[in-house]
């Protein structure tokens, strides 16, 4: 029985690495995957991991029908034994419905990988639809750690090193600018306190702040 599986977690939890591992394991058995991604860090039409591995992928665009794309691919003699959708948080809810239809009507396994919540702790629309539709949701427990050492469960956005909780859901920063947008994974406690590694370091150096127990 084919299924729609949603592998989710924070940034840096190893989603893309697992996606590449699944792709590797199946291609070693002679299977061929259709790989979709959107806005990967390595650029258009790439699925990459922070560990430096990369493979070619089909870049998903606004309004693209993923079900129709696969039907067209198969009808032209193309092959697809399974489907991987990386950066699935960036897909539109209707594109997640199309992936569910790929499972049900084409009988293919679909493995979707995505960040669950944004920097405001709200579900991405694509991730929400996956939680609603998936046969199985696997929360990746690769230990992304907060600066305090606790398991990082939340994504923070920083602007100029300071955590922000307002702004557009998707912003890709320019790393060379002083007001650069950055991202950092935190535990919930420090997400709530808006305490990033940089601000914790600054606070620790400040004579105004009394030392506190790490507990
Ligand atoms: Zn923490």
């Amino acid at each position: 029985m084919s299924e729609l599986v949603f592998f989710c977690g924070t940034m840096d939890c190893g989603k893309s690495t697992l996606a590449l591992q699944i792709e590797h394991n199946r291609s070693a058995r002679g299977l061929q995957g259709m790989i979709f991604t959107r806005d990967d860090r390595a650029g258009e039409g790439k699925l990459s991991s922070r560990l430096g591995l990369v493979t070619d992928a089909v870049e998903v665009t606004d309004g693209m029908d993923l079900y129709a794309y696969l039907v067209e691919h198969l009808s032209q003699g193309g092959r697809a034994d399974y489907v991987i959708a990386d950066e699935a948080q960036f897909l539109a809810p209707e594109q997640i419905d199309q992936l569910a239809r790929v499972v049900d009507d084409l009988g293919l396994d679909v493995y979707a990988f995505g960040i669950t919540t944004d920097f405001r702790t709200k579900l991405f629309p694509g991730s929400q639809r996956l939680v609603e539709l998936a046969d199985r949701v696997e929360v990746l427990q690769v230990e992304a750690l907060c600066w305090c050492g606790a398991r990082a469960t939340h994504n923070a956005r920083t602007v100029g090193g300071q955590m922000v909780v307002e702004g557009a859901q998707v912003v890709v920063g320019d790393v060379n600018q002083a007001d650069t947008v950055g991202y950092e994974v935190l535990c919930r406690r420090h997400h709530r306190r808006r305490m990033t590694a940089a601000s914790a370091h600054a606070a620790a150096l400040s004579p105004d702040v009394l030392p506190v127990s790490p507990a």
Side-chain angles (χ1 to χ4, degrees):
M1 191 73 115
S2 50
E3 46 177 14
L4 172 61
V5 187
F6 181 31
F7 295 94
C8 61
T10 58
M11 302 181 309
D12 295 337
C13 75
K15 291 179 304 300
S16 297
T17 302
L18 179 61
L20 286 162
Q21 185 71 48
I22 285 178
E23 197 272 333
H24 174 82
N25 291 351
R26 277 164 182 68
S27 67
R29 291 193 344 226
L31 297 174
Q32 198 167 319
M34 170 66 70
I35 304 176
F36 293 117
T37 189
R38 174 147 200 178
D39 299 336
D40 186 275
R41 66 183 78 82
E44 252 182 46
K46 298 287 179 195
L47 192 176
S48 73
S49 81
R50 281 184 207 281
L51 302 184
L53 304 168
V54 63
T55 191
D56 289 329
V58 174
E59 183 79 12
V60 176
T61 53
D62 286 342
M64 180 175 171
D65 185 329
L66 304 183
Y67 176 80
Y69 184 92
L70 267 157
V71 168
E72 176 75 6
H73 173 77
L74 295 169
S75 69
Q76 294 191 345
R79 200 176 147 192
D81 302 306
Y82 64 95
V83 175
I84 286 174
D86 198 32
E87 308 291 356
Q89 73 277 3
F90 295 144
L91 301 184
E94 51 270 26
Q95 289 172 325
I96 304 302
D97 283 71
Q98 292 154 12
L99 290 176
R101 194 174 170 202
V102 166
V103 176
D104 297 341
D105 293 2
L106 301 181
L108 302 180
D109 286 319
V110 175
Y111 307 103
F113 297 82
I115 296 170
T116 322
T117 54
D118 67 11
F119 71 104
R120 302 163 304 188
T121 73
K122 302 295 185 188
L123 286 165
F124 282 97
S127 302
Q128 178 182 339
R129 196 67 186 132
L130 274 162
V131 169
E132 291 163 351
L133 289 184
D135 296 289
R136 206 149 50 85
V137 176
E138 300 277 347
V139 179
L140 295 182
Q141 301 292 0
V142 175
E143 297 287 299
L145 298 180
C146 179
W147 57 266
C148 71
R151 198 158 73 81
T153 49
H154 289 73
N155 299 300
R157 177 183 293 169
T158 58
V159 175
Q162 295 300 309
M163 181 173 153
V164 296
V165 292
E166 287 176 11
Q169 190 166 47
V170 179
V171 171
V172 180
D174 180 344
V175 292
N176 295 318
Q177 297 195 351
D179 61 348
T180 180
V181 172
Y183 290 91
E184 181 173 338
V185 290
L186 299 173
C187 68
R188 190 190 56 238
R189 177 176 291 108
H190 288 127
H191 195 282
R192 289 186 54 237
R193 294 177 184 168
R194 303 191 191 182
M195 196 175 272
T196 62
S199 60
H201 185 65
L205 294 179
S206 164
D208 302 333
V209 179
L210 292 170
V212 291
S213 119

